[in-house]
Amino acid sequence: MFEGHDPYLVALSVAIASLGGYTGFALAARIRNTPGVSNRVLLAGAAGFLAVGIWTMHFVGMLAAPLPPDTAYLVLPTIISFLICALVVGISLFFVSIGEPSLKRVASSAVLLGAGIASMHYVGIHGLAGHFGIVHDRTMVVLSVAVAIVTAYGGLRAFLAQQEGVRLIVSSTAFGIAVSGMHYTAMLGMHFEPLTGAAHHHVGGGLAASQQILSIVVAVLCFVIAAGFLLSLVPDQRRQTSNSDAAEPVASPVAAAAVELIAVPSAAPRPVGPLGGLGQPLRAPAPRLPVESADGTHFIETANVRSVRADAHYTRVHDGTRERMCPWSISEAEAQLDPSLFLRVHRSHIVAIPHVALVRKEGDGAVLELDGPSPHRVPVSRAKIAEVKARLGLANRRHA
C-alpha cells in the first residue's frame, strides 16, 4: 500500500490527522459545559479543526506519494474538496451534539462523516493535473469508503462514551486511522495512465499550484493544527471549578466521621423572587415540563419533578424514578418553574425544595437527597448553601 511513498511523510500524515481529531473532539466536548451562543462557536471550531486535519492529512499523503514529476494541483477542485469536508464534518458533529446519542443517530453521523472524508479525497485527487489520466479500482473505492465509515463510527462511539482523558485519545486515534486508512486504501486502488497527443490533460485551462506551493500551504496548516492541539491541552478553569462542585463524595471511615446528616423538617415552601434573578419580569409558572422519548414529546407535572440537570443546551428532568431529556435549556427551565417550589442550587442543577429529604454537608459545599422511588443526590455549590438553608428552615441551625 505504501510502496514508493516517503515513510516520514506517511507517518506525519497519520499524526496530523490524529492531532486534528484530538483538537476538534476536545472543542466539541466543551460544548456540554459552555452555555449560550458559545456552543455555536465551539461547534464551528471543532468542525474547522477536524476538516483542516482531514484536508491536511490528504495533501501530506499526496506529497508522500510517488506522483509524476509534472503534476500540478488545480486550485478550484482543491478548495472545493476542503469546503465539502468542512460542511459534512460540521453536519455530522451537529447530529451527535443534539439529542440523545442513539445508535441510529451515531450510525448516521458516521456514515455522513465517512462519506465526507471519501468525497474530499476523490475531489482532491481529481484536482491533479498533468500528462496522465487517473483510473480507480472500484473494489478499492468501496473498501476505502467502508474503512472510513467503520473507523469514524468507532471514533464517535469512543468520543461519546467519555469526552476526556483516555477515551478522547482513543477517539482521535480512531479518527486519524479513519482518515489515513481511507486515503491510503484509495491510493492503493489508483493508477496513473500516460496520455499522448491531443489527449493530454492540460493545466492551462485553470489556476494551478505546484507541489512547492502546496508544501508551503500544508506546512502552515500543520503549524495551525499543532498550535490548536497545544491550546486544547490548556485546562479550562471554569470547567475545573464546575467539576469540583459537582463531584460525588467518596465514602470512607474518616470522611464519614466528619459528615453530619440532617433530616429536613417538613415546612411549607416560602415564596421568593424569580429564579431568573433581579430585573426579570414575573411570569406564570409552567404547570408541566416537556420530555422527549422515542415515540414523541410527553409532558410531566411539575409536582412530580425532583430535579433538573443541565446537559449541553438541553436538560435532564428527574421524576423520582428516572431521568428524561427535556428540550429546554437550564436557564429556560429556571425561568419557567415556580420559584416558590424550585431553587437553582448549582450552575447545572435545579431542585424541587418540597422533595428534599436529606441534607449532607461536605467540604465547602453540600449534597441534597431528593425523595422518590429512586432517591438521587444533587450537589449544592458553596455560594448557594445559605439560601438552601433558609429555604429549608435551617437558617438558625449552627450546622447545615
Side-chain angles (χ1 to χ4, degrees):
M1 182 182 294
F2 302 107
E3 183 179 357
H5 283 70
D6 185 322
Y8 297 105
L9 288 179
V10 169
L12 176 62
S13 68
V14 178
I16 284 296
S18 298
L19 290 180
Y22 186 96
T23 307
F25 285 143
L27 287 174
R30 294 188 181 186
I31 293 176
R32 293 180 175 273
N33 302 288
T34 307
V37 72
S38 296
N39 288 345
R40 302 175 186 175
V41 177
L42 289 174
L43 182 61
F49 269 103
L50 289 174
V52 170
I54 294 171
W55 191 88
T56 305
M57 178 274 141
H58 169 78
F59 284 100
V60 171
M62 295 305 297
L63 292 174
L67 299 179
D70 61 341
T71 301
Y73 296 85
L74 296 178
V75 173
L76 182 58
T78 300
I79 293 176
I80 291 176
S81 68
F82 175 78
L83 295 179
I84 291 175
C85 183
L87 178 63
V88 174
V89 169
I91 295 174
S92 178
L93 278 182
F94 177 75
F95 279 166
V96 295
S97 68
I98 62 173
E100 298 190 59
S102 63
L103 175 62
K104 182 178 180 181
R105 186 185 296 274
V106 178
S108 300
S109 299
V111 170
L112 186 61
L113 182 56
I117 294 172
S119 299
M120 184 281 308
H121 173 87
Y122 286 107
V123 171
I125 283 293
H126 285 277
L128 297 178
H131 297 263
F132 52 79
I134 299 175
V135 179
H136 297 283
D137 184 329
R138 293 184 180 179
T139 302
M140 298 307 294
V141 170
V142 174
L143 179 60
S144 66
V145 174
V147 168
I149 293 174
V150 171
T151 49
Y153 178 82
L156 290 176
R157 270 298 176 198
F159 167 69
L160 292 170
Q162 181 179 337
Q163 296 107 13
E164 56 186 12
V166 176
R167 290 293 182 91
L168 184 56
I169 297 175
V170 171
S171 63
S172 59
T173 302
F175 176 80
I177 295 173
V179 179
S180 55
M182 181 274 146
H183 174 87
Y184 291 111
T185 302
M187 291 295 287
L188 181 63
M190 187 185 79
H191 307 282
F192 294 103
E193 291 187 349
L195 301 178
T196 58
H200 282 328
H201 181 49
H202 294 289
V203 299
L207 184 62
S210 65
Q211 292 199 43
Q212 289 74 17
I213 294 176
L214 182 67
S215 300
I216 296 173
V217 173
V218 167
V220 171
L221 291 179
C222 288
F223 175 80
V224 170
I225 292 175
F229 170 73
L230 294 176
L231 288 176
S232 69
L233 299 180
V234 177
D236 188 340
Q237 188 63 36
R238 293 175 301 174
R239 188 180 180 189
Q240 288 184 338
T241 303
S242 174
N243 289 342
S244 64
D245 286 343
E248 284 292 330
V250 178
S252 67
V254 177
V259 169
E260 179 181 3
L261 299 180
I262 303 174
V264 178
S266 59
R270 303 180 182 182
V272 295
L275 286 171
L278 295 177
Q280 297 292 330
L282 293 172
R283 66 172 74 183
R288 301 185 299 172
L289 271 70
V291 292
E292 303 289 347
S293 64
D295 58 347
T297 303
H298 298 266
F299 295 88
I300 60 175
E301 301 291 332
T302 54
N304 297 325
V305 174
R306 266 60 174 181
S307 67
V308 180
R309 175 175 65 88
D311 184 8
H313 43 283
Y314 299 98
T315 50
R316 299 277 179 172
V317 176
H318 203 299
D319 61 1
T321 303
R322 60 190 177 97
E323 277 191 329
R324 289 185 280 183
M325 192 189 80
C326 175
W328 292 351
S329 66
I330 188 72
S331 298
E332 184 176 2
E334 183 183 21
Q336 294 279 3
L337 292 171
D338 187 346
S340 67
L341 301 176
F342 293 89
L343 177 65
R344 188 164 182 174
V345 297
H346 186 276
R347 62 179 299 181
S348 302
H349 295 276
I350 298 173
V351 300
I353 294 297
H355 289 288
V356 176
L358 193 71
V359 182
R360 184 173 76 179
K361 182 180 178 182
E362 191 166 278
D364 292 335
V367 174
L368 300 178
E369 183 173 294
L370 286 304
D371 62 16
S374 299
H376 65 288
R377 294 176 179 176
V378 172
V380 180
S381 64
R382 180 172 57 181
K384 287 289 185 177
I385 292 180
E387 188 173 358
V388 170
K389 289 169 59 178
R391 295 291 297 274
L392 295 174
L394 301 175
N396 296 325
R397 296 285 297 270
R398 182 177 179 181
H399 299 289

